[in-house]
Amino acid sequence: LRRSSYEQRTVPKACKGAHGVSVQKIVVDTDIILEHLIHGDGASILRVTMNTYFCYTTVFNAIEAFSMARSKKEIQAVDDAMSAMKVIGLNAKSAKSIGKIYSNDISVGKKVLPALIAGVCVESRLPIVTMNPKRFSRIKRLRVIPAQKIISHSAATEMPSH
């Protein structure tokens, strides 16, 4: 068991999904959350991801999403999306990871939020799913999963066998 930096409660290292099956954990980037909020018919990338993974997001993704919400309805939609995931935040260890990211690549300093998000992910040992892998391309220790890979995997597992 380890401590969550956001809610300061004990979280099991391996999450158990339905029927006691182990579920992989992943951090959801802001673009996936926003795509979910504007998604029309069918399953959003967030819903597809939640069907396969135990989803987290970072407090920095939450800040980014809330900063884009303009109306009370949009703010409520972001709040509802955040409620569906565990939000992880900054602590002394993730601050150390973020510092290493900054020191290894000065150009990251121009893009503060991706560095903050990556530091939390690296320290939490969690990969991130995003529609824009280039956003994190300079951060070597971060495992980035393109959203298209999750969509493709989901479509392949849902196809009927002949």
Side-chain angles (χ1 to χ4, degrees):
L1 296 179
R2 62 187 167 94
R3 279 259 174 226
S4 160
S5 60
Y6 182 71
E7 294 182 16
Q8 295 302 310
R9 65 180 181 162
T10 304
V11 178
K13 281 189 178 180
C15 293
K16 297 287 183 181
H19 311 292
V21 175
S22 247
V23 178
Q24 289 182 298
K25 298 180 276 186
I26 196 166
V27 174
V28 176
D29 196 16
T30 311
D31 58 359
I32 304 290
I33 297 165
L34 296 177
E35 184 270 345
H36 172 73
L37 298 178
I38 62 170
H39 193 79
D41 296 333
S44 67
I45 297 169
L46 179 60
R47 287 194 192 278
V48 170
T49 304
M50 289 180 141
N51 286 337
T52 309
Y53 296 90
F54 184 86
C55 293
Y56 293 80
T57 196
T58 74
V59 68
F60 304 110
N61 294 108
I63 291 167
E64 191 172 39
F66 278 115
S67 76
M68 295 176 193
R70 299 289 177 246
S71 68
K72 286 183 180 182
K73 184 178 178 181
E74 289 175 350
I75 291 168
Q76 185 60 52
V78 172
D79 204 24
D80 292 346
M82 292 299 135
S83 297
M85 296 174 276
K86 175 140 180 58
V87 179
I88 52 179
L90 185 66
N91 61 31
K93 286 185 177 182
S94 54
K96 186 176 179 181
S97 292
I98 292 166
K100 286 180 183 177
I101 290 167
Y102 269 90
S103 68
N104 290 336
D105 188 355
I106 295 169
S107 68
V108 170
K110 295 178 184 174
K111 299 175 182 175
V112 176
L113 278 175
L116 295 171
I117 293 164
V120 173
C121 292
V122 167
E123 188 54 41
S124 300
R125 296 186 188 112
L126 295 172
I128 188 163
V129 61
T130 182
M131 294 187 306
N132 182 14
K134 287 183 180 180
R135 182 178 191 200
F136 301 102
S137 63
R138 294 184 167 280
I139 303 167
K140 305 286 185 247
R141 295 180 12 207
L142 178 63
R143 184 168 160 230
V144 179
I145 300 172
Q148 190 57 45
K149 187 173 181 180
I150 289 177
I151 294 166
S152 299
H153 176 73
S154 174
T157 58
E158 290 177 9
M159 294 191 73
S161 56
H162 297 295

